[in-house]
Amino acid sequence: MDKFISNYIEGFMGSVVSRNPGEKEFHQAVREVVESVAPFMMDYPHLMDQKILERIVEPERIIIFRVPWMDDRGEVQINRGFRVQCNSAIGPYKGGIRFHPSVNLSIMKFLAFEQTFKNALTTLPMGGAKGGSDFNPRGKSDAEVMRFCQSFMTELFRHIGPNTDVPAGDIGVGGREIGFLFGQYKRLRDEFSGTLTGKGIAWGGSLLRPEATGYGLCYFAEQMLATRGESFEGKKVNISGAGNVAQYAAQKAMRLGAKVQTLSDSDGFIYDPEGLTEEKMEYVFQLKNIRRGRIKEYVQKYPQAQYFPGERPWRIPCDIALPCATQNEVEVADAENIVKGGAICLAEGANMPTTPEAIKIIQGAGLLYSPGKASNAGGVATSGLEMSQNSMRTSWTAEEVDQYLRRIMSDIHAACVKYGTREDGTVNYVKGANIAGFIKVAGAMADQGLV
Ligand code: NDP
Ligand code: 2IT
């Protein structure tokens, strides 16, 4: 890289790190974008003059609040709530809510930052945000989850609205939590609106929203594979996670002819050498979404599978790796195993699941590699479709939504190809996604003046 550009990047990152001390996930997400867009931006002096990059890394607004609630034993509990409204240049703030004990300001800011570029890539008018709490839903009763959600929304409702900020689910927030959050929002505002997405079908939700992230991931990976004349047919696929994204990625990959070998949770992973089937997936849906059990129970039901406690699935050889659990879950040793196992593709379902050093190994070995902001954008894109249906007071069929989803994933792929094609004809999806997302947001910011 040009010395001038690398000096610019290091100077810029120095200031980001000193302004946001200790926020390592945020630094990581910013660095990746800045490394992609800095060389491009040098050709657009007006973006430099307007300090678009300096503005984009400063969230428009951050709300941090106390969330008090009472557990089933009558003990008072206190959690911390967040909403990071990162950027509203191209539409109302939009992004998920995460309930997980690891949630902190750095994680919220990295996710809101990533969301800004992801949402721009979807082609839909949505700004970027993220929210959540360090509340741990694991082991909590439905009543406890409801009381927590009601308390969380009792503050959050002031800051959101159908034309202001539209939250949705993420880790630890699924249909049950969105229901409790929506109920409390409706009650406080006395208004039935599309202020949350991921709603139940009977009360304003969109068909295919639950499936959309996992399905969209596979549609995107299909297009990546097609650039090398490959497909899912007959491929061995390893998936991490066993939640919303992992489940529907597994279902779609299987339906596209792949053998899905693994699923995981934070306690370990299961390896089924015979591959998942529709019947086994039905069991996983019941286990995870109804009984809220752990993935290790899979091997009691299907004894040909093995459970590996405390491990991640990446040392099992596969052709396609789909990390769908959480950030930084694919580290250097995992990437080395993925390469050694002969994989041809790693497409991210989770947000930032691969560490920067691991990305270098994956890219260096010539694998197809896509960042989550491109390949997992089907979830938020379908949230955007839910917003459209709510505004029109209509609902589309699953086929209609699926058609939109396929088209959007294909458009995102095309944008990555447009801005990320290397001289040798291969595609750098990181560069492509970052530049395509940045162009849209930066252009809108420049048009709207100094706000
Ligand atoms: P879920 O809560 O449904 O599932 C999360 C899964 O990941 C669980 O199996 C969970 O295991 C595992 N997991 C969570 N945290 C960790 C951790 N620290 N270490 C190991 N495993 C962990 O969440 P989603 O499926 O919705 O989200 C998964 C990823 O996809 C996240 O990165 C999210 O940001 C991203 N994403 C989600 C979208 C959506 O529409 N839901 C859209 C785009 C991206 P355990 O039960 O043990 O915690
Ligand atoms: O990370 C993500 O894109 C999501 N959790 C989905 C956000 C949304 O608004 O649907």
Side-chain angles (χ1 to χ4, degrees):
M1 196 185 293
D2 187 289
K3 188 89 192 128
F4 176 77
I5 296 176
S6 66
N7 283 344
Y8 172 84
I9 293 171
E10 292 318 314
F12 186 88
M13 285 311 302
S15 131
V16 168
V17 170
S18 71
R19 281 175 69 79
N20 305 278
E23 296 177 0
K24 60 183 196 317
E25 293 85 1
F26 181 61
H27 304 160
Q28 182 182 336
V30 170
R31 176 176 279 278
E32 188 211 272
V33 169
V34 173
E35 285 181 351
S36 297
V37 304
F40 168 85
M41 225 176 44
M42 298 296 160
D43 295 333
Y44 296 86
H46 73 289
L47 298 182
M48 300 287 278
D49 292 346
Q50 296 219 16
K51 300 206 174 169
I52 296 290
L53 210 46
E54 287 82 347
R55 273 197 269 158
I56 237 171
V57 299
E58 194 66 37
E60 289 176 14
R61 188 178 296 106
I62 298 179
I63 301 130
I64 302 181
F65 50 99
R66 179 169 68 203
V67 190
W69 57 284
M70 194 170 277
D71 70 18
D72 286 346
R73 292 169 307 159
E75 192 177 323
V76 170
Q77 302 286 342
I78 293 109
N79 286 99
R80 186 171 293 170
F82 299 87
R83 187 72 179 166
V84 177
Q85 297 177 330
C86 190
N87 196 294
S88 62
I90 64 167
Y93 305 112
K94 179 87 196 85
I97 291 180
R98 175 177 293 191
F99 292 164
H100 193 271
S102 64
V103 162
N104 59 33
L105 185 58
S106 172
I107 289 177
M108 293 285 98
K109 281 171 68 178
F110 113 67
L111 288 163
F113 183 75
E114 290 280 287
Q115 198 80 44
T116 299
F117 299 91
K118 181 195 307 190
N119 292 2
L121 286 170
T122 65
T123 70
L124 303 175
M126 299 181 290
K130 200 82 183 192
S133 174
D134 58 359
F135 173 74
N136 186 359
R138 194 162 156 183
K140 303 289 190 298
S141 69
D142 287 351
E144 288 176 320
V145 170
M146 182 181 75
R147 287 197 292 277
F148 176 80
C149 288
Q150 290 181 339
S151 181
F152 183 85
M153 184 53 84
T154 300
E155 174 59 34
L156 186 68
F157 90 102
R158 298 174 218 290
H159 311 287
I160 62 177
N163 298 309
T164 311
D165 184 352
V166 182
D170 193 77
I171 292 177
V173 178
R176 173 182 62 171
E177 292 73 19
I178 293 293
F180 294 147
L181 292 164
F182 181 80
Q184 184 72 349
Y185 180 84
K186 180 165 66 67
R187 183 187 193 190
L188 289 164
R189 278 260 191 260
D190 190 19
E191 168 189 294
F192 195 113
S193 68
T195 301
L196 289 144
T197 60
K199 301 187 290 299
I201 297 304
W203 39 279
S206 173
L207 286 166
L208 238 59
R209 175 63 189 88
E211 292 88 344
T213 312
Y215 280 19
L217 170 64
C218 291
Y219 295 155
F220 192 90
E222 257 191 313
Q223 302 238 343
M224 296 168 77
L225 292 164
T227 64
R228 298 202 183 162
E230 295 280 4
S231 74
F232 271 100
E233 188 64 47
K235 297 291 189 304
K236 287 179 287 187
V237 174
N238 286 8
I239 296 180
S240 63
N244 172 265
V245 181
Q247 289 169 19
Y248 288 105
Q251 187 184 62
K252 184 55 82 176
M254 200 179 77
R255 289 182 181 173
L256 290 170
K259 180 162 101 174
V260 178
Q261 313 186 116
T262 68
L263 290 171
S264 72
D265 59 27
S266 51
D267 298 333
F269 79 93
I270 58 111
Y271 168 48
D272 187 338
E274 290 168 15
L276 292 173
T277 58
E278 295 284 349
E279 183 221 307
K280 291 172 183 174
M281 273 317 299
E282 200 43 55
Y283 170 80
V284 172
F285 287 133
Q286 291 287 328
L287 170 69
K288 296 304 297 178
N289 308 344
I290 312 290
R291 289 201 283 121
R292 300 185 189 277
R294 307 299 296 163
I295 201 61
K296 69 175 175 206
E297 295 171 47
Y298 182 95
V299 299
Q300 289 158 18
K301 175 85 177 162
Y302 300 107
Q304 81 283 0
Q306 282 174 279
Y307 177 63
F308 297 92
E311 289 194 61
R312 297 165 179 165
W314 311 122
R315 67 178 174 78
I316 304 290
C318 67
D319 302 304
I320 300 168
L322 304 176
C324 297
T326 193
Q327 64 276 353
N328 293 329
E329 55 159 313
V330 181
E331 297 182 283
V332 166
D334 304 309
E336 284 167 352
N337 278 333
I338 290 169
V339 171
K340 214 164 46 190
I344 56 170
C345 175
L346 186 156
E348 295 184 345
N351 285 307
M352 208 169 78
T354 317
T355 66
E357 300 76 23
I359 293 174
K360 283 204 187 86
I361 291 167
I362 296 288
Q363 287 181 325
L367 274 73
L368 292 161
Y369 166 75
S370 71
K373 64 174 73 100
S375 43
N376 74 30
V380 73
T382 307
S383 279
L385 301 176
E386 183 172 329
M387 290 167 72
S388 302
Q389 293 168 77
N390 292 165
S391 299
M392 295 163 76
R393 300 201 187 282
T394 189
S395 54
W396 297 330
T397 63
E399 290 69 31
E400 286 172 304
V401 178
D402 195 44
Q403 258 179 17
Y404 274 117
L405 175 61
R406 284 175 192 269
R407 193 163 76 209
I408 290 168
M409 298 317 293
S410 174
D411 287 347
I412 299 173
H413 188 270
C416 292
V417 170
K418 180 172 177 189
Y419 293 103
T421 300
R422 301 183 182 98
E423 275 172 14
D424 66 1
T426 61
V427 182
N428 181 341
Y429 287 88
V430 176
K431 183 176 164 201
N434 285 332
I435 294 181
F438 177 77
I439 286 177
K440 188 167 174 189
V441 178
M445 288 174 74
D447 290 346
Q448 292 168 29
L450 201 47
V451 293

